[in-house]
Amino acid sequence: MLENYLKNHCPLEVPGLLSLAIEKAYKQLDDTIKTVPILQKDEARKSYGYLRNAFVDVAIESVFGELDHDCIIETKKVNPDRKNSYTYKMLKVPGAHITPVKSQSKGSFPRKAIYRDKGSLLNYQMSLFDEQRHFNNDKAPFMLLTYGGVNYKLDYVMLGIPDFEDRNWIDLVPIKGKPTLISSNKEKQVNDKFKLSLTEKASQIRRNNNDSNGGNAI
């Protein structure tokens, strides 16, 4: 169901670019850990998840910011009334609203995604089997981009339509390694933007590490 929907209602390059973004983010995480000494200490492992999430957000924003399609990237707050509320990215592409979240395993439903349940209400207001329906960014199914692996290595990237009421999936498909389906010129633009954005984020982390004078700040 979901594979057919993506082919018929979303830009064809979306699954490949989502996979590419996650893979690049994990590579940058690995490179940063190897080049920042304090991150190699056991006490610093608790920070890996935060760094990974930051690189994922930067990577997705870099990739889809270079597309010719009408793509919108928003930063959402779990609790809009709180100044320091937890935030997450929402990617709006033609035909879908997508937000990334780490999951425990390939087919598991992410525990920390429950705060996104307002978006999932869209999934109950439409039928993805209805081929005559015209979807747009205001009436598009809500999807979760899940990823993860053992020891902070990337083993899978999945795209699914969540059912928050049953804490399960309406449908879930693997997208790791999907082709990007963009021109070589556009691919170069995307990769250049990737490299610049992720390198800038990694450099900021290294600068913060140096400024800490040997402390544990990252």
Side-chain angles (χ1 to χ4, degrees):
M1 179 180 71
L2 181 52
E3 286 184 345
N4 288 334
Y5 176 81
L6 292 171
K7 291 178 182 177
N8 294 327
H9 296 288
C10 299
L12 293 177
E13 62 265 44
V14 166
L17 289 177
L18 288 172
S19 176
L20 179 65
I22 301 298
E23 291 177 43
K24 292 282 189 178
Y26 266 78
K27 184 180 185 305
Q28 186 63 65
L29 172 65
D30 191 53
D31 291 345
T32 303
I33 292 172
K34 290 178 179 177
T35 55
V36 179
I38 194 173
L39 291 178
Q40 298 165 23
K41 297 182 179 181
D42 290 340
E43 297 88 343
R45 286 184 64 85
K46 66 181 70 174
S47 69
Y48 290 3
Y50 297 101
L51 295 175
R52 177 196 57 219
N53 295 347
F55 287 137
V56 166
D57 287 347
V58 170
I60 289 176
E61 194 161 2
S62 298
V63 170
F64 286 91
E66 293 298 308
L67 279 190
D68 297 327
H69 295 289
D70 183 19
C71 301
I72 300 172
I73 302 170
E74 299 177 350
T75 300
K76 298 284 190 178
K77 280 189 174 183
V78 175
N79 187 341
D81 297 326
R82 293 182 58 185
K83 183 178 180 180
N84 296 322
S85 176
Y86 182 82
T87 62
Y88 62 95
K89 291 293 182 181
M90 173 72 76
L91 170 65
K92 295 181 178 180
V93 298
H97 293 175
I98 305 168
T99 185
V101 59
K102 167 71 170 59
S103 60
Q104 293 297 313
S105 64
K106 193 172 184 178
S108 66
F109 195 83
R111 295 175 299 175
K112 294 184 179 181
I114 191 63
Y115 55 78
R116 295 168 169 88
D117 60 353
K118 290 183 179 179
S120 72
L121 293 175
L122 290 168
N123 297 336
Y124 298 103
Q125 298 170 357
M126 63 185 66
S127 169
L128 297 187
F129 293 105
D130 184 1
E131 294 297 332
Q132 303 302 316
R133 183 183 293 273
H134 295 286
F135 294 93
N136 55 46
N137 270 343
D138 294 323
K139 295 181 180 179
F142 178 75
M143 303 182 191
L144 289 179
L145 172 68
T146 60
Y147 56 88
V150 179
N151 293 327
Y152 296 95
K153 303 299 181 183
L154 183 62
D155 294 333
Y156 62 88
V157 183
M158 311 290 290
L159 189 61
I161 302 180
D163 178 350
F164 282 96
E165 185 174 349
D166 293 332
R167 302 286 185 93
N168 210 332
W169 298 103
I170 295 174
D171 201 5
L172 182 69
V173 296
I175 62 171
K176 187 175 185 292
K178 287 280 188 180
T180 55
L181 299 179
I182 56 178
S183 67
S184 56
N185 182 51
K186 179 63 68 175
E187 184 175 3
K188 184 179 185 305
Q189 293 179 28
V190 169
N191 282 326
D192 289 346
K193 182 71 177 293
F194 251 142
K195 185 176 180 180
L196 179 63
S197 299
L198 290 178
T199 300
E200 181 180 350
K201 187 69 175 180
S203 297
Q204 179 185 353
I205 292 170
R206 294 187 184 98
R207 286 195 301 270
N208 290 344
N209 172 59
N210 293 333
D211 291 343
S212 68
N213 294 322
N216 290 325
I218 299 174

